[in-house]
Amino acid sequence: MHLPVRQPFRLELRWLRSQAFRWRERNGWYYGVVKGHPIKVRPSGNGIEFRSNVPAGSLQSHVQTYFRLDQDIKPVHDALRRVDATMRRLVEQYGYVRILRQDPWECLVSYICSQNNNIDRIAGIVDMLAGKYGDPSILDGVPCNSFPPPQRLFEVGETELNGLRLGLDRGHLIWTVARDVTEGRLDLNALSRFPYARSKSLLMSYKGIGPKIAGCVCLFALDKAEAFPVDRHTAAALSEFYGKKHESGAKNVGLLRWAREHFGADHAGYASQLLFYDQIQRTGGARQQ
């Protein structure tokens, strides 16, 4: 099925995997999972072509939403061009990048697994969880298992998750969050309706979820455009272009306030991704929290 896209837009594996880690490329197609179903997408004319092993019509709206195909990105670009020369350059170079709308649960677990890991390692962990506990699915010989829902990982149990040696006590944290989602103490869908500060604070109430992980989930899954997650690449960009020093914990509040004021609350998250993406394009790096 062909879907038109508001331009500029370009599929590129590096920017896909810089936000959602399980994307892979085979023979000009990009393989991933949307709404629990395997899909493959590729550029086609003024848009994209996508296929799945379920009727394309049943996934059309979800694919459009996931990639933000109907987003009018021009007002965002125009606003950021007015900010400063750095933003003007980045918009011209990387204006084809969008902020993916990911499933909140998979996004949360993925970024719990991201701290002190590079993209390949994160993808390996998330793929392993999907392979062991998700619903099996293959598209053109490419494994594209769905990600296990919270109830499944809760039922697996803390002991088994700890036995996977995910590092940094991630097994315990994933099980704890899965338990709270399953038992109704944490409503991830409701977080998208809450103000950004409240959503971020609720995520950070879990030991092991800091401002970077919470910011990424808010930006990539909860539609919080003002979220400004900072990893080592974004921190390097802020230092290089703005002379701003990133510090951990509460000391970083001032920097995040400056970012929302400087780039604008409605566009701070997009600005953070342009800064991040420019760094990994120039240095060949990969996201590491």
Side-chain angles (χ1 to χ4, degrees), residues 30-105:
Y30 298 89
Y31 288 78
V33 178
V34 171
K35 207 63 178 180
H37 297 288
I39 70 166
K40 63 178 186 177
V41 298
R42 67 179 178 184
S44 176
N46 65 338
I48 66 169
E49 177 185 0
F50 86 92
R51 299 179 188 175
S52 181
N53 56 12
V54 298
S58 66
L59 285 178
Q60 177 179 349
S61 64
H62 300 300
V63 173
Q64 289 172 324
T65 297
Y66 182 90
F67 288 108
R68 296 181 187 262
L69 301 184
D70 57 353
Q71 179 185 10
D72 184 1
I73 198 70
K74 185 176 184 301
V76 179
H77 287 169
D78 289 346
L80 289 177
R81 284 190 183 98
R82 292 192 292 269
V83 168
D84 57 40
T86 294
M87 281 292 114
R88 284 196 297 275
R89 176 181 70 82
L90 297 184
V91 166
E92 292 304 314
Q93 285 186 255
Y94 310 117
Y96 55 84
V97 170
R98 300 290 172 93
I99 304 296
L100 300 175
R101 280 194 184 99
Q102 301 180 46
D103 169 72
W105 170 243

Side-chain angles (χ1 to χ4, degrees), residues 1 16 20-21 57 67 71 81 95 100-101 105-106 109 162 171 180 199 208-209 233 241 245 251 265 271 279 289:
M1 173 177 282
L16 289 173
F21 306 110
F67 288 108
Q71 179 185 10
R81 284 190 183 98
L100 300 175
R101 280 194 184 99
W105 170 243
E106 180 173 351
V109 175
N162 285 335
D180 286 1
S199 298
I209 297 180
H233 299 295
F241 298 123
K245 182 179 180 181
K251 295 179 180 179
Q279 282 291 309
Q289 297 273 341

